Amino acid sequence: MSETQVWALVFVVLSFGVYIYIAWRSRVKETKGFFVAEQNVPAVANGAAVAADWMSAASFISMAGLIAFLGSDGSIYLMGWTGGYVLLALLLAPYLRKWGKFTVPEFVGDRFSETVRSVSAVVAIIVSFTYVVGQMAGGGIVFARFLEIPQAGGVAIAAAVIFTYAVFGGMKGITWTQVAQYTVLIVAYLIPAWAVAHTMTGIPIPQVSFGQILDELNALQAEFGLDQYTQAFTARPQIDVFLVTMALMIGTAGLPHVIIRFYTTKSVRGSRWSALWALVFIALLYTTAPAVGAFTKVNLLDGVQGQAVDALPQWVQNWQATGLVSVSETSETVNSVTNNADTFAAGEADLLVNNDILVLASPEIAGLPAPIVGLVAAGGLAAAMSTAAGLLLVISSSVSHDLYFRYVDHHASEARRLGVSRIAMGLAVLVAIYFGINPPAFVAQVVAFAFGLAASTFFPILVLGIFWKRANAAGAVSGMLAGLVFTASYMIYTLEVFGTSANEHVLGISPEGIGTIGAVVNLVVTIVVSLATRPPSEEVQEMVEQIRYPSEREETHA
Amino acid sequence: MSDDVMTPEGGPPPGGGSNGWRKEYWRKNLRLMVALLIVWFAVSFGCGILFVEQLNQVVIAGFPLGFWFAQQGSIYTFIVLILVYAIRMDRLDREYGVHERDHDGGLT
């Protein structure tokens, strides 16, 4: 075992120990604890839990590398995955918290109709499942790379720990482990970033100092025949950058596992403040990521430029074994770099670098000590597990609370409800393990589009349900289906999924960006159909009226 | 709940005893929300996407300005927007007497 592996093992075992201890401390006895953590989570803690819930294996491991290769257009992820919190805070969180029940489908069920609730529950399960499979696989990859445990074993270990706290503690256990996981992942992300920034510029604040290397990076990019790093719209046309950013924003605000985290605060006021804390905690990583991307890109290009293939830096050799870095067999010196396996296979580049390596190997590329490399392993696992747990809760609550008790077992006692919810959670974990180890081929493609689907289904009807009393069930059903069908059709038209062939993008709009148009379709259809049919009942309109006010009005007495 | 609860200004909550206050409260909420969303759009989609190339002509501390808005500035702005919203809504809730009595202090 190498020194890095020993440190990785130490940090992983320590952090898992903490998660299991927390699980034991937060066992629950009631469904209110299981689904919404007794609605008793302080705003700051909930903010940290949202941040961990939100930042997945992809945010932690892949994003910086993705930005490094996209350059300026990496902003689609940076803005897209943070701007949605403004929409959540202003348009959804306080009102859904005031209404105060257990799930997202339950809200649309009360507001519109039971049909809308069932459709939403099924969509929530599909979106969450495609997403959770990626987390499981991500966790397995961390195990495989840092500890040389086979990926299947890694997935099983991570899932066993999630199983412990999610089944016994439900939302309560998940919340407090997410707080711990946020701490682990942010420390693991920031320490190497500070160190790299300090080494390269003398200023240890990456957000400020990466401006100093942008000129150098632009020059290096030019030498490699790449586009200017700071030049906008080199990776995607402007209209597509606009639409993808918007789709990611409204998709974020429409994802059930993010929304339900705001059900757990103590009050409406708490939900607003916890949205603030959530974004502060997320921004710590999201403002650091572009700096990490830029620094590592400079180090990488600088380290390999014009080098003979047998004189490349040590990290190239270390990571070649994992398949994340490949050197072309026909090249003698390195003059071109790509992150695209197809380009590399066609012999158009001397070096292939996987996006993930920029975070995983950045401590090594910058020559940082072994404990820090080990810490990155624990951070990657924390990011994957916290997101997986939040998604599994959505699946479990949709299956038990929104479907099973309504269609099968109407009069279940409290004890029985808790039991069934636990079984649903346990089964969801097992299915997730299976697909984590054997990911279906289409998942990798579909997961990126979960946002488009959430954007075009949930977000418009939630916002209209809250802000427009006239919106009714017929409108919501038609709007959701129209948005879903439109968005899914375009995705299938432009992608090779389920055996279809990929067609050209229409007007430069990529399948990632189509969710924005899908959301507009949903919005328009909901409004038109609502106006053409009868308004909702008095009771429903009164409910919409009531969620506007955080509490009963306090009259001053004469 | 004591009988002498007052709004910060010391008078009874505005809007009168009937439900007229509801419209007033809601209108103020919407006005704040729309103002914040205009800033949200202007900074992220405006400075970060629509006018990014023009702004890139200006370089500050090594950052082309449009690039900075797209990768840094918009995120800081989002935080400030939610902060302003949370503070202003706390104030509005108190003014209209609809604040929650069992507090969950955001900053405490």
Side-chain angles (χ1 to χ4, degrees):
Chain A
M1 224 182 217
S2 72
E3 201 191 346
T4 347
Q5 281 177 327
V6 174
W7 281 106
L9 192 65
V10 168
F11 284 116
V12 168
V13 169
L14 270 180
S15 60
F16 280 22
V18 172
Y19 307 153
I20 294 191
Y21 171 74
I22 293 171
W24 172 251
R25 288 290 304 269
S26 45
R27 307 177 305 283
V28 290
K29 296 190 188 67
E30 290 173 325
T31 48
K32 193 174 178 189
F34 194 85
F35 288 132
V36 287
E38 292 152 4
Q39 295 189 322
N40 198 20
V41 181
V44 181
N46 197 54
V50 174
D53 198 52
W54 173 239
M55 292 191 285
S56 58
S59 289
F60 187 93
I61 301 172
S62 314
M63 194 172 64
L66 215 55
I67 295 167
F69 281 98
L70 286 174
S72 177
D73 294 344
S75 65
I76 54 176
Y77 299 114
L78 296 166
M79 290 199 281
W81 285 339
T82 53
Y85 283 87
V86 177
L87 301 176
L88 257 174
L90 271 57
L91 301 175
L92 299 178
Y95 307 107
L96 293 174
R97 175 61 190 84
K98 171 66 199 305
W99 167 82
K101 285 189 187 170
F102 289 174
T103 68
V104 175
E106 199 177 4
F107 170 76
V108 293
D110 285 5
R111 172 65 181 82
F112 297 114
S113 74
E114 293 296 292
T115 319
V116 187
R117 180 173 177 181
S118 302
V119 174
S120 306
V122 172
V123 175
I125 293 170
I126 296 172
V127 168
S128 302
F129 245 118
T130 49
Y131 211 118
V132 84
V133 170
Q135 303 308 313
M136 288 294 182
I141 289 168
V142 174
F143 269 109
R145 285 175 196 164
F146 285 93
L147 295 170
E148 289 176 16
I149 293 172
Q151 195 178 343
V155 170
I157 295 171
V161 176
I162 296 174
F163 186 88
T164 318
Y165 62 78
V167 172
F168 290 103
M171 189 57 145
K172 194 177 169 196
I174 290 172
T175 301
W176 294 106
T177 39
Q178 280 176 338
V179 173
Q181 283 158 339
Y182 174 74
T183 316
V184 173
L185 82 86
I186 200 69
V187 169
Y189 203 86
L190 293 183
I191 288 181
W194 288 337
V196 173
H198 184 73
T199 323
M200 292 190 63
T201 64
I203 306 168
I205 306 164
Q207 286 88 340
V208 177
S209 58
F210 86 104
Q212 306 193 355
I213 53 113
L214 289 173
D215 277 339
E216 186 187 349
L217 182 50
N218 278 336
L220 270 170
Q221 296 258 119
E223 285 173 39
F224 276 81
L226 300 166
D227 291 310
Q228 290 268 299
Y229 191 81
T230 54
Q231 175 71 41
F233 318 125
T234 54
R236 290 166 182 275
Q238 185 169 24
I239 180 174
D240 198 41
V241 169
F242 186 98
L243 291 175
V244 173
T245 306
M246 185 67 93
L248 294 178
M249 284 189 187
I250 58 187
T252 303
L255 278 175
H257 75 284
V258 179
I259 297 177
I260 52 161
R261 283 249 42 112
F262 291 96
Y263 286 21
T264 63
T265 57
K266 291 179 186 174
S267 60
V268 173
R269 177 168 187 263
S271 74
R272 295 184 200 127
W273 285 96
S274 82
L276 174 71
W277 285 114
L279 188 57
V280 168
F281 290 137
I282 292 168
L284 268 177
L285 191 148
Y286 272 60
T287 54
T288 307
V292 171
F295 283 132
T296 318
K297 188 86 180 279
V298 168
N299 274 335
L300 179 112
L301 295 183
D302 204 32
V304 300
Q305 185 190 24
Q307 295 283 337
V309 289
D310 47 9
L312 290 171
Q314 182 63 33
W315 63 264
V316 174
Q317 209 180 354
N318 290 353
W319 289 85
Q320 247 174 329
T322 62
L324 290 177
V325 178
S326 310
V327 184
S328 168
E329 286 169 8
T330 54
S331 307
E332 285 171 10
T333 55
V334 176
N335 292 308
S336 51
V337 174
T338 184
N339 65 336
N340 184 330
D342 295 333
T343 311
F344 181 73
E348 289 164 25
D350 302 321
L351 188 69
L352 172 68
V353 178
N354 185 293
N355 290 335
D356 293 359
I357 203 161
L358 274 85
V359 166
L360 294 177
S362 82
E364 245 176 295
I365 295 177
L368 299 178
I372 294 183
V373 183
L375 189 60
V376 172
L381 283 174
M385 289 166 65
S386 55
T387 306
L391 292 161
L392 288 165
L393 189 93
V394 169
I395 296 169
S396 148
S397 62
S398 298
V399 169
S400 59
H401 193 68
D402 292 317
L403 297 173
Y404 182 79
F405 296 128
R406 284 174 49 233
Y407 288 112
V408 184
D409 194 350
H410 302 281
H411 305 292
S413 65
E414 173 68 19
R416 187 165 163 74
R417 279 171 190 266
L418 187 60
V420 170
S421 307
R422 282 193 165 133
I423 293 170
M425 177 72 87
L427 290 178
V429 174
L430 293 179
V431 177
I433 293 178
Y434 178 79
F435 284 117
I437 296 170
N438 308 298
F442 64 89
V443 159
Q445 283 184 311
V446 174
V447 72
F449 308 107
F451 289 90
L453 294 177
S456 61
T457 52
F458 290 123
F459 184 76
I461 64 157
L462 287 173
V463 171
L464 284 176
I466 291 165
F467 287 90
W468 193 42
K469 287 182 187 168
R470 187 68 179 73
N472 64 18
V477 175
S478 331
M480 252 175 107
L481 290 178
L484 181 69
V485 170
F486 174 83
T487 308
S489 310
Y490 188 79
M491 287 176 178
I492 293 170
Y493 177 76
T494 47
L495 291 167
E496 282 178 50
V497 278
F498 312 117
T500 57
S501 62
N503 292 287
E504 282 291 305
H505 296 176
V506 179
L507 299 172
I509 300 168
S510 66
E512 293 94 331
I514 196 67
T516 304
I517 309 203
V520 175
V521 169
N522 180 337
L523 193 83
V524 171
V525 171
T526 307
I527 293 174
V528 170
V529 175
S530 292
L531 287 175
T533 47
R534 282 191 298 139
S537 68
E538 287 286 313
E539 298 89 79
V540 168
Q541 300 208 27
E542 183 55 25
M543 167 193 156
V544 181
E545 176 75 22
Q546 286 305 326
I547 59 172
R548 293 177 173 181
Y549 318 105
S551 76
E552 293 287 311
R553 178 158 151 106
E554 191 172 68
E555 301 286 353
T556 38
H557 297 265
Chain B
M1 210 50 48
S2 63
D3 279 351
D4 56 355
V5 178
M6 291 284 177
T7 57
E9 291 76 27
S18 70
N19 277 345
W21 67 272
R22 287 188 167 188
K23 276 209 169 106
E24 226 178 277
Y25 170 87
W26 190 241
R27 203 172 54 235
K28 287 190 180 176
N29 176 357
L30 292 183
R31 202 182 302 153
L32 172 64
M33 195 183 88
V34 169
L36 294 175
L37 287 179
I38 289 172
V39 178
W40 166 81
F41 186 86
V43 172
S44 52
F45 292 93
C47 301
I49 298 175
L50 297 174
F51 300 105
V52 65
E53 282 160 329
Q54 288 86 330
L55 286 170
N56 275 346
Q57 305 306 316
V58 183
V59 177
I60 297 173
F63 292 102
L65 197 56
F67 174 86
W68 183 81
F69 268 109
Q71 300 211 340
Q72 297 278 312
S74 54
I75 303 178
Y76 302 131
T77 311
F78 298 151
I79 294 177
V80 173
L81 291 175
I82 302 183
L83 177 68
V84 170
Y85 178 72
I87 292 175
R88 294 284 296 268
M89 285 308 287
D90 276 0
R91 214 179 286 163
L92 191 66
D93 287 348
R94 286 192 163 273
E95 190 186 328
Y96 282 84
V98 293
H99 56 288
E100 292 143 303
R101 261 65 81 180
D102 46 345
H103 294 293
D104 175 23
L107 290 165
T108 52

